[in-house]
């Protein structure tokens, strides 16, 4: 079981890595300083420090740059429905997205959040039986195109897991959809509390 999921994870990571490399072959390298200038319109919600100003707005600080870029592409293409995000992403070029991603990725990670200790322990257990770490990293720090979950807003994580479980949020290759499908509401609360408690 474990082996099957991790092999799948590695294949997925390798696939997206390659497809992004070929897409970006002719592009200028990402420029975090230029990204900070381009991200001015994002600060009102995601903060200059990459910390969302309210619980439904995700932290972007220390997210893997490829994860930020890929989500922006999905908003722009309207594959992911995120309220204001589609209109905001519509005006961004691929290079803008890479520069903005480099800026937010370079910022210090969000602080760990305190929470109910039993829920956090339960979340950690579910995470290990469901192999969430095989994709999101040992400390949920994210990697490649896979989001950082550590220190993320608990409310945001709950919403996203429910949307992915129901299919309201499409995921790029179905692997996250199958990971979320078997989770109960209680499991989701516990996983979100655990992720938020990590730094
Ligand atoms: C009006 C508030 C607002 C502004 C301004 C805004 N965002 Fe967002 N952003 C949100 C909300 C709300 C979500 C969560 C959407 C959802 O529920 O799926 C989000 C989600 C995201 C995500 C997905 C994060 C993840 O972990 O999947 C990225 C990336 C992002 N925004 C980048 C940006 C960038 C870059 C800008 C500036 C060009 C920007 N946002 C401007 C409100 C905003
Ligand atoms: C096979 C790899 C894989 C596994 C296993 C996996 N994930 Fe994911 N996860 C992803 C990918 C890829 C995405 C991005 C999906 C997309 O937007 O297309 C994602 C997205 C997410 C998001 C949305 C993050 C954001 O910032 O919007 C959450 C929350 C999440 N996963 C939690 C979990 C939890 C909890 C588990 C274990 C039950 C888990 N994942 C297992 C690959 C995985």
């Amino acid at each position: 079981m474990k082996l099957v999921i991790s092999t799948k994870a590695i294949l997925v990571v390798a696939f997206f890595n390659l497809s992004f490399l070929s897409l970006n072959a002719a592009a200028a390298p990402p420029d975090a300083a230029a990204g900070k200038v381009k991200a001015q319109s994002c600060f009102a919600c995601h903060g200059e420090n990459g910390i969302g100003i309210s619980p439904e707005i995700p932290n972007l600080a220390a997210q893997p740059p490829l994860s930020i870029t890929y989500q922006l592409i999905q908003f722009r293409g309207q594959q992911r429905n995120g309220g204001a995000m589609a209109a905001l992403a519509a005006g961004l070029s691929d290079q803008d997205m890479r520069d903005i991603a480099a800026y937010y990725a370079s910022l210090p990670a969000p602080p760990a959040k305190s929470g109910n200790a039993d829920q956090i322990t339960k979340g950690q257990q579910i995470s290990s039986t469901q192999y969430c770490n095989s994709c999101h990293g040992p400390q949920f720090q994210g990697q490649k195109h896979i989001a950082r979950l550590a220190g993320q807003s608990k409310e945001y994580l709950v919403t996203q897991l429910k949307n992915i479980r129901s299919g309201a949020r499409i995921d790029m290759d179905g692997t996250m959809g199958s990971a979320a499908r078997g989770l109960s509401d209680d499991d989701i609360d516990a996983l979100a509390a655990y992720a938020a408690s990590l730094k």
Side-chain angles (χ1 to χ4, degrees):
M1 181 69 178
K2 181 175 177 122
L3 205 91
V4 172
I5 292 190
S6 344
T7 311
K8 205 159 130 194
I10 291 161
L11 287 176
V12 169
V13 168
F15 172 76
F16 277 95
N17 204 15
L18 283 176
S19 60
F20 270 92
L21 273 180
S22 51
L23 239 166
N24 296 351
D31 180 340
K36 183 173 186 179
V37 176
K38 294 174 179 178
Q40 301 292 320
S41 63
C42 321
F43 292 172
C45 293
H46 294 285
E48 183 170 354
N49 58 0
I51 308 294
I53 57 152
S54 60
E56 74 280 6
I57 300 178
N59 300 330
L60 301 179
Q63 284 271 3
L66 207 49
S67 173
I68 296 177
T69 306
Y70 188 78
Q71 293 306 321
L72 288 170
I73 291 173
Q74 288 198 84
F75 286 127
R76 186 178 61 187
Q78 298 185 11
Q79 289 98 347
R80 178 172 170 190
N81 176 10
M85 280 311 305
L88 284 154
L92 301 176
S93 68
D94 291 356
Q95 187 66 39
D96 294 342
M97 291 179 181
R98 281 190 292 266
D99 291 347
I100 292 173
Y103 169 64
Y104 277 121
S106 74
L107 299 174
K113 292 175 187 61
S114 55
N116 177 297
D118 291 343
Q119 218 180 19
I120 291 172
T121 306
K122 184 184 170 194
Q124 182 168 21
Q125 284 160 357
I126 301 169
S127 165
S128 92
T129 55
Q130 301 295 318
Y131 310 111
C132 310
N133 307 85
S134 69
C135 291
H136 290 276
Q139 287 299 309
F140 276 174
Q141 72 276 23
Q143 55 164 332
K144 308 273 171 57
H145 63 295
I146 303 176
R148 175 188 185 88
L149 307 176
Q152 186 55 279
S153 153
K154 184 175 181 248
E155 291 81 353
Y156 171 78
L157 292 173
V158 168
T159 306
Q160 297 305 316
L161 282 168
K162 289 184 175 170
N163 286 347
I164 293 170
R165 182 180 63 183
S166 73
R169 173 171 165 186
I170 308 291
D171 72 303
M172 58 182 101
D173 56 17
T175 53
M176 189 51 226
S178 39
R181 201 154 300 131
L183 302 174
S184 69
D185 285 1
D186 284 351
D187 293 345
I188 286 179
D189 284 344
L191 284 163
Y194 169 57
S197 78
L198 297 172
K199 161 108 187 172

